[in-house]
Amino acid sequence: MQQFHSFIRRRSPPPPITKLPLLLRLRLCLRHHLLSLFSTASVAAAAADNNHIVSDLITILSLPRWQSHPDLTCLLPTLTNSTISSLFSNPNLHPSAALAFFHFLPKQIPGFTHDSLSHINLMRLLIPLGRFGDAERIRVLMVRNCGDKEEAKCVLGFVMGEMRGREEIAMDVRGWNNVLMMLGRVGLVEEMRRVWEAMEEDGVEGNVYSYNTMVNGACKVGDVREAEGWVRRMRGLGVRPDGFTWTSLVLGHCRNKDVEKAREVFEMMRERGCRRNEVAYNYLIHGVCEAGRVDEGMALLRRMEAEDVCRPNVRTYTVLISALCKVGRRREAMGLFDEMQGKGCVPNVYTFTVLIDSSCKEGNVVEAWKVLDKMLEKKLVPNVVTYNALIDGYCKQGEMDSALEILNLMEQNKGSPNGRTYNELICGFCRVRRVSFAMTMLTKMTERKLTPNLTTYNTLIQGQCRVGHIESAFRLLDMMKESGVRPDHYTYGILIDAFCKGDRVEEARFLFDSLHENGLEANVVIFGALIDGYCKSGKMNCARFLFDQMLVKKCMPNSFVYNSLMDGLCGEGRMEEALLLLKQMSDAKVTPTVFTYSGLIKGLLKEGSFDRAHRIYDEMISKGYKPDACIYTEFIHAYCLQGSMEEAEKLMNEMTVASVVPDVVTYTVLIDGYGSLGLITRAIDMLKSMMDSECKPSHCTFSILMKHLLNKKQAQENGNSMHLNVAPIDVVNVWKLVDSETVMELIQTMDKHGCVPNLGTYTILIGELCRDGRIEEAQGLVSYMKQSGICPDENITKTLMECCCRLGMLEEAFELVDSLVERGQLPSLDSYRMLICALYDKGSREKAEAAFCSLLRCGYNNDEVAWKLLIDGLLKKGLVDRCSELLQIMEKKGCHPNSMTYSKKSCRWRWLNYLRPNTKRGNFASDEVDLIVRLHKLLGNRVREEFSALVLVLCFVRESIGSSVM
């Protein structure tokens, strides 16, 4: 807001308006006043009537010295290519003024370029008046400035239609060559052939430049056969191919990935008396590097100066530096970078960007920053690719705050983020499970008029599924379809896998069966996800049926499918069937993996068949497989269950010798083994080893430790011997029974043994306590960690807040929200949903609305707010009126959800085809129609283009009704 006010103060007062008609003066005054208050985009939106702008421009351009007229300044920010083309098509415009204005605009508006239609309309204005020289110059500019395929086709249509056949503006061979080069630039080879035919019909004979352009155009798209045909044709007509011709063929063969043929043409150039320049070398070097033959590229670099007295340029070095970085030879790349500078070849933005990108891909963002500093020292301006490389580097490391700082730096330096920028940020936020931030990036992306693509939606859908928000993932699927992006196998694979992992395998099957309706056939990944889901839910018959269906459809199972089936059989104790499946796997020529043997070993050890497990292990070793941490852990776990800790320790030593790093499960199993024997000190020592090796303990690790401490305490309370009627405490009930004294005992014991509790330790302990509603113990632990000099982070605060909401401690929850906001952190939407729903349940309507307004100021994605708070929160609780009120607040504050969130089409699709088998489907019943009428009386008509908020409410009320029936 301060920036907005300072912008207003910077505006100059309106200039005096004279010598203009009264109506025009009033209109310009109004427009100037608007400009002084709002941004250029707002003015463009206000000046919707294109005809008025054109009329104003014609009036101004009719005045003498219009270039310096103050009122033209008011119109310049509103001008678009559409306006300019309309202006030039107006017969009332004087051609001299039009021509002068055409050249005036790019000088006055930074970055402005005329489109093809503006050029064409200006020529249509000039030609009838006999100003053929001016028209010819505009045509040359039009052809030269044409930047994409659509514009090129527009220009070609004009040239081949209106200009062709008129003698006074007939093009010579040079003009036709320019048209050919324009088409070749954008890869329109077929259109180039049409132009050549037109040249022949008009009696224009092509020269060497014409033929070279045809050859080069075909080579750019890798059509070497077409290019060679043009070479034969030019030689047949006595036109001698030159260096440019052969260089183009080198490019064509490289684009066709035929490096040997490219090299043959390259070597033949000297025999034909053609000099091999840096362009020919660059094409071939790029070709061999793309084929992974980097050393050949380096050898070509050395030949440039030695054989052809040809100096490598910045592109030569950049291609080689990029190739060396791709194959992990960064030190050589840096040596080449120093060499190019030593020879006076100045690196450009692309050279530095390659080095920055390679550093980030290696995880060395610090080195990337050093390269960026060198780049800035040379006064080079980073481009969007440079910034994207840094953003991607930080995202891969999970340092999202740093990634956002790079985004801010890009925007401050007037860089424009592109779709890839936001896709990288979305992927980074989803990777660290901050999905709401990823959704916010989607909002920013669309605000910049960037179109989300398949990667964007798939990443968000996967992010929502990863945090358990499958309903939100399906709403993204709706939005994706509505925006014209077609879901692919990966999209449906994510959703099916999420359903299976969420123990909703029947819904996964329903979605699987709907694939054909969506124009897709299940692939091995989708079959594998559903088979794995059936196996894990104990439905082996369904899994086997799906496996057979897979074979019928000639979709060959991979190792993952076989492993899932074997794991399922092992889990049910059907070891003979699992071993038979291993043989079938071998017969089908599907190579077993370490996971294959791991599952079999686990099943055999579970039934106590140590000898058979060792035989499978030996078979795995004999086939050249190296056992991983999972296999070692299975054996260690089996020994721990038997109380054979010495054998378990031997295996740990073997892991060290074999350079296999124990994982969190390995350490946790050993800790449980020691604890079961009452060796608490040894268990804590193992915890220290775990933390020293930078392996983070899980909630299961601490639950097991707490279980053994409680069992020890229980034994001591019962006279150091466990009575028969006193059962040991199970890990499931640990956090319901634990007291503050035992928690502090664990922390102090850890401290005593040198494994000092860190933030991760407190996060797990507080989280487990809060999950069972032990808020007082959790708050006591927070106080203790503060005394120890550790400040609670965002996750701990959110955990406490959600626990307070569940327990009805809303004042405390509010205080925690405020503390998050004060620290510049955002409460999650789940936390806000719990708080607002709890406030409504308690009757605190004003506080609920205040909390909702606070949420809207946080910048969350509007759709996600509607999905997770209004729909999954209020409507599912039956709070229809409250939902409507908050929706009105959103709209009043300009927070409009996507049309799919409102739309009747989306809601009807969801409710006629929703995945839950027991969801009500079909037409609305009479009682539901009555509900619709009553809600209509309550809410009234709220129609917008193509959607209605009323339908949103009605359809999700139906979900609430269906859920209550369930």
Side-chain angles (χ1 to χ4, degrees), residues 893-911:
K893 291 184 175 293
C895 302
H896 298 290
N898 187 281
S899 61
M900 277 302 297
T901 302
Y902 285 103
S903 74
K904 179 176 181 180
K905 176 183 175 183
S906 169
C907 293
R908 291 298 294 167
W909 183 90
R910 190 174 292 119
W911 293 111

Side-chain angles (χ1 to χ4, degrees), residues 796-807:
I796 290 177
T797 308
K798 287 177 182 176
T799 301
L800 291 169
M801 174 192 162
E802 290 175 6
C803 184
C804 289
C805 289
R806 286 196 300 271
L807 298 174

Side-chain angles (χ1 to χ4, degrees), residues 142-437:
M142 174 178 68
V143 172
R144 185 185 300 162
N145 295 332
C146 184
D148 57 46
K149 288 186 178 181
E150 292 307 313
E151 283 211 331
K153 288 178 180 178
C154 179
V155 171
L156 182 62
F158 176 71
V159 170
M160 298 283 282
E162 297 181 42
M163 289 193 69
R164 190 177 171 207
R166 298 188 62 167
E167 292 185 7
E168 61 272 18
I169 52 171
M171 289 193 298
D172 57 10
V173 67
R174 183 175 180 181
W176 285 110
N177 285 348
N178 287 334
V179 174
L180 287 172
M181 283 188 278
M182 172 194 74
L183 296 170
R185 215 165 37 235
V186 294
L188 294 174
V189 180
E190 186 61 38
E191 285 75 3
M192 292 175 72
R193 294 194 199 103
R194 283 176 49 208
V195 169
W196 190 274
E197 290 169 3
M199 287 172 64
E200 290 181 331
E201 288 174 9
D202 291 352
V204 178
E205 187 177 340
N207 57 21
V208 66
Y209 300 107
S210 313
Y211 283 103
N212 278 346
T213 304
M214 296 301 295
V215 171
N216 188 255
C219 288
K220 279 183 177 176
V221 296
D223 192 347
V224 182
R225 182 175 295 179
E226 171 87 7
E228 288 175 339
W230 285 105
V231 173
R232 286 193 297 271
R233 188 170 173 179
M234 68 190 292
R235 296 177 77 177
L237 293 172
V239 181
R240 184 183 177 189
D242 59 10
F244 186 90
T245 318
W246 302 117
T247 298
S248 294
L249 284 172
V250 171
L251 169 65
H253 287 302
C254 289
R255 289 275 169 92
N256 223 15
K257 300 190 183 305
D258 189 350
V259 179
E260 294 303 328
K261 193 67 177 174
R263 191 164 198 126
E264 184 181 318
V265 174
F266 179 81
E267 298 296 347
M268 192 172 55
M269 286 177 70
R270 288 188 75 181
E271 298 173 12
R272 296 181 182 276
C274 297
R275 180 177 175 269
R276 299 181 299 203
N277 61 13
E278 64 274 5
V279 178
Y281 271 101
N282 288 348
Y283 284 155
L284 187 56
I285 288 171
H286 186 264
V288 296
C289 288
E290 284 291 299
R293 294 151 62 170
V294 184
D295 290 329
E296 288 184 43
M298 291 295 292
L300 283 166
L301 172 69
R302 304 307 171 203
R303 285 179 61 185
M304 286 181 77
E305 290 183 287
E307 293 184 10
D308 291 289
V309 195
C310 175
R311 291 192 64 184
N313 59 19
V314 65
R315 174 163 173 75
T316 317
Y317 284 110
T318 301
V319 167
L320 284 165
I321 288 169
S322 176
L324 289 167
C325 288
K326 281 180 183 176
V327 296
R329 294 161 63 176
R330 182 175 168 78
R331 182 175 295 179
E332 291 176 66
M334 291 304 298
L336 198 59
F337 178 73
D338 293 336
E339 177 188 316
M340 73 180 287
Q341 294 181 94
K343 290 186 175 181
C345 183
V346 180
N348 60 15
V349 173
Y350 301 102
T351 317
F352 282 104
T353 299
V354 163
L355 292 171
I356 289 169
D357 184 54
S358 70
S359 297
C360 290
K361 282 177 178 171
E362 291 176 0
N364 194 348
V365 187
V366 175
E367 180 64 28
W369 268 106
K370 290 179 181 177
V371 177
L372 181 65
D373 286 339
K374 291 180 182 177
M375 181 178 178
L376 297 174
E377 284 173 9
K378 293 186 176 293
K379 310 297 182 186
L380 293 173
V381 179
N383 59 20
V384 65
V385 182
T386 316
Y387 288 114
N388 283 352
L390 284 164
I391 288 171
D392 188 50
Y394 280 120
C395 287
K396 282 185 168 63
Q397 292 185 356
E399 298 180 29
M400 297 312 300
D401 292 337
S402 298
L404 287 177
E405 286 177 13
I406 300 296
L407 178 65
N408 292 333
L409 181 64
M410 186 196 308
E411 291 172 335
Q412 287 169 12
N413 292 333
K414 298 182 180 179
S416 296
N418 58 16
R420 180 163 182 170
T421 313
Y422 287 105
N423 281 346
E424 287 170 354
L425 288 165
I426 287 168
C427 183
F429 278 120
C430 288
R431 190 181 287 118
V432 297
R433 305 173 75 86
R434 294 166 70 181
V435 183
S436 290
F437 284 88

Side-chain angles (χ1 to χ4, degrees), residues 704-723:
I704 284 170
L705 275 169
M706 199 63 71
K707 175 190 75 171
H708 292 307
L709 285 173
L710 283 173
N711 283 329
K712 177 184 175 184
K713 187 176 181 180
Q714 184 173 272
Q716 290 172 348
E717 288 173 354
N718 287 279
N720 290 322
S721 63
M722 193 72 73
H723 295 294

Side-chain angles (χ1 to χ4, degrees), residues 45 461 552 585 645 686 832 929:
I461 287 170
V552 170
M585 183 180 183
M645 295 309 298
M686 186 55 63
Y832 265 119
V929 173

Side-chain angles (χ1 to χ4, degrees), residues 558-564 566-567 570 575 578-579 581-583 585-586 590-603 616 619-620 625 628 630-631:
N558 59 12
S559 60
F560 177 82
V561 175
Y562 281 105
N563 291 348
S564 297
M566 280 188 272
D567 280 346
C570 292
M575 291 305 305
L579 291 167
L581 196 60
L582 177 63
K583 184 178 182 308
M585 183 180 183
S586 178
V590 178
T591 306
T593 65
V594 173
F595 298 106
T596 312
Y597 293 105
S598 174
L600 291 168
I601 289 169
K602 179 181 179 181
I616 293 290
E619 179 185 333
M620 180 188 75
Y625 291 99
D628 62 0
C630 185
I631 290 178

Side-chain angles (χ1 to χ4, degrees), residues 444-740:
K444 292 184 180 297
M445 188 176 186
T446 53
E447 285 173 354
R448 281 189 168 270
K449 308 299 181 189
L450 297 170
T451 304
N453 58 17
L454 182 63
T455 302
T456 315
Y457 285 111
N458 279 349
T459 306
L460 286 167
I461 287 170
Q462 188 174 42
Q464 295 285 2
C465 289
R466 193 174 288 167
V467 296
H469 296 154
I470 302 180
E471 281 73 20
S472 293
F474 263 92
R475 290 160 188 147
L476 278 165
L477 181 66
D478 289 347
M479 190 184 295
M480 180 181 187
K481 290 178 178 178
E482 186 70 10
S483 63
V485 179
R486 185 182 176 188
D488 62 357
H489 288 89
Y490 187 70
T491 316
Y492 287 103
I494 294 167
L495 292 163
I496 288 170
D497 184 58
F499 274 130
C500 292
K501 287 178 178 174
D503 200 22
R504 296 163 65 177
V505 70
E506 293 307 320
E507 294 167 76
R509 182 55 192 258
F510 190 91
L511 184 59
F512 177 87
D513 292 337
S514 73
L515 282 174
H516 187 70
E517 299 170 13
N518 290 287
L520 296 170
E521 293 296 331
N523 60 13
V524 66
V525 176
I526 294 176
F527 269 113
L530 187 54
I531 288 172
D532 188 56
Y534 276 131
C535 292
K536 284 185 167 57
S537 61
K539 298 180 179 180
M540 290 304 300
N541 290 337
C542 295
R544 192 73 204 211
F545 175 80
L546 204 60
F547 179 77
D548 293 339
Q549 188 180 352
M550 206 175 167
L551 296 176
V552 170
K553 292 190 174 184
K554 299 190 184 321
C555 180
M556 299 311 297
N558 59 12
S559 60
F560 177 82
V561 175
Y562 281 105
N563 291 348
S564 297
L565 286 165
M566 280 188 272
D567 280 346
L569 292 168
C570 292
E572 293 184 356
R574 297 157 63 178
M575 291 305 305
E576 298 307 321
E577 293 179 60
L579 291 167
L580 182 61
L581 196 60
L582 177 63
K583 184 178 182 308
Q584 291 177 9
M585 183 180 183
S586 178
D587 292 342
K589 298 191 179 348
V590 178
T591 306
T593 65
V594 173
F595 298 106
T596 312
Y597 293 105
S598 174
L600 291 168
I601 289 169
K602 179 181 179 181
L604 291 168
L605 290 172
K606 187 178 178 181
E607 62 178 27
S609 302
F610 274 77
D611 291 339
R612 293 182 74 186
H614 277 289
R615 282 201 295 273
I616 293 290
Y617 177 84
D618 292 338
E619 179 185 333
M620 180 188 75
I621 297 296
S622 68
K623 291 186 176 180
Y625 291 99
K626 181 181 178 182
D628 62 0
C630 185
I631 290 178
Y632 279 109
T633 301
E634 294 300 342
F635 279 108
I636 290 170
H637 186 215
Y639 285 125
C640 287
L641 288 175
Q642 291 185 338
S644 304
M645 295 309 298
E646 288 184 5
E647 294 295 326
E649 288 170 355
K650 284 181 184 177
L651 282 175
M652 276 291 282
N653 292 332
E654 281 185 31
M655 288 180 75
T656 304
V657 172
S659 301
V660 178
V661 180
D663 60 15
V664 62
V665 181
T666 315
Y667 284 111
T668 302
V669 162
L670 283 164
I671 288 168
D672 191 29
Y674 287 123
S676 298
L677 296 176
L679 304 173
I680 303 297
T681 301
R682 296 290 298 276
I684 297 295
D685 288 339
M686 186 55 63
L687 177 67
K688 182 179 186 304
S689 298
M690 182 181 190
M691 295 175 73
D692 287 346
S693 64
E694 296 184 356
C695 179
K696 295 179 181 178
S698 67
H699 67 93
C700 186
T701 311
F702 286 109
S703 295
I704 284 170
L705 275 169
M706 199 63 71
K707 175 190 75 171
H708 292 307
L709 285 173
L710 283 173
N711 283 329
K712 177 184 175 184
K713 187 176 181 180
Q714 184 173 272
Q716 290 172 348
E717 288 173 354
N718 287 279
N720 290 322
S721 63
M722 193 72 73
H723 295 294
L724 293 177
N725 62 340
V726 180
I729 295 169
D730 186 65
V731 71
V732 176
N733 300 313
V734 162
W735 300 102
K736 292 187 179 76
L737 302 172
V738 73
D739 54 17
S740 299

